[in-house]
Amino acid sequence: MSLPIAQHQNAVKTVVVPAAGMGTRFLPATKTIPKELLPVVDTPGIELVAKEAADLGASQLAIITAPNKDGILKHFEAFPELEATLEARGKTDQLNKVRAARELIATVPVVQEKPLGLGHAVGLAESVLDDDEDVVAVMLPDDLVLPFGVTERMAEVRAKFGGSVLAAIEVAEDEVSSYGVFELGELDAESENEGIRRVVGMVEKPAPEDAPSRFAATGRYLLDRAIFDALRRIEPGAGGELQLTDAIALLIEEGHPVHIVVHEGKRHDLGNPAGYIPAVVYFGLRHAEYGSKIHRAVKEIIAEFES
Ligand code: G1P
């Protein structure tokens, strides 16, 4: 039984986590292991996102998976044999780690049969929403936005301005074509101070010369329920896929308020080895048990590489 929306801090009940991608940039590892379960030190990226969703006050994680990616769901289930063995051996720390994912938040699976795009994946989540949900959060598990907590900020912005709110980072000009890019409205002194900007357009993966700004979507969205209707009305866009960006652009065109929170912190892209490995190093260096050993080893590797 899910709780009424009023009992959800930040008024978000469901966080949608699209995790149906094929993980081609991590083959051959992702032949059998879903990309979202690759460890950031010892914890799968998707568990970090589940924690972020729980911290936002959400009560369910709608995980969009592809057929054959049920390992992701298993990660959020009990594992009685393993837990009994760890318990019998008195390995309490490990036992707590094994149990942590399922204790964070309830998960509900949604299967995307065909890879038709992020917009299609998010659209499927409508079926698991309760009638009292007028907003849904989307967290892309490839993006780690640090320090955690940007969605709480976004919820405050939605409480003030209504509509939909997205997280943005400023990227270099030659990187814009990897992102959904925002066209920004006139500066409003008060909101700019807080790193909040009104958005007047959005385009998916533009060529640098066509990019309306260098502010890019970074995997955290608070979307008004109207997004589902917009998702039904878009055509395939960039890459021939149904793009979430295009549905947001459609809402903007129709006068729906959309704002961004410009994130000044760090962002890791777990979606490819060149972003994933630095993320592992970043968390590894800060790890209570392994941090100092990793620090020493990484320094040696770099010194040797540079000499
Ligand atoms: C997706 C979105 C894009 C966004 C990006 C953030 O792209 O389509 O708008 O900027 O995530 O990581 P993808 O990385 O799946 O190609």
Side-chain angles (χ1 to χ4, degrees), residues 25 118 140 142-143 178-181 202-205 216-219 221 243-245 267 269:
R25 283 171 290 193
L118 178 60
L140 305 188
D142 276 358
D143 287 283
S178 303
Y179 296 94
V181 180
M202 190 177 179
V203 39
E204 181 69 8
K205 304 201 167 75
T218 185
Y221 307 75
Q243 295 292 352
L244 181 58
T245 292
R267 176 249 183 185
D269 180 2

Side-chain angles (χ1 to χ4, degrees), residues 1-60:
M1 256 289 281
S2 62
L3 295 169
I5 197 73
Q7 292 182 30
H8 289 71
Q9 168 205 349
N10 293 311
V12 177
K13 199 188 264 197
T14 302
V15 173
V16 180
V17 180
M22 293 191 293
T24 47
R25 283 171 290 193
F26 283 99
L27 284 169
T30 46
K31 192 173 159 192
T32 55
I33 303 166
K35 173 181 68 174
E36 297 77 8
L37 292 183
L38 295 176
V40 178
V41 188
D42 55 9
T43 305
I46 196 164
E47 186 173 326
L48 301 176
V49 169
K51 167 94 171 48
E52 193 180 335
D55 288 346
L56 176 66
S59 55
Q60 74 168 358

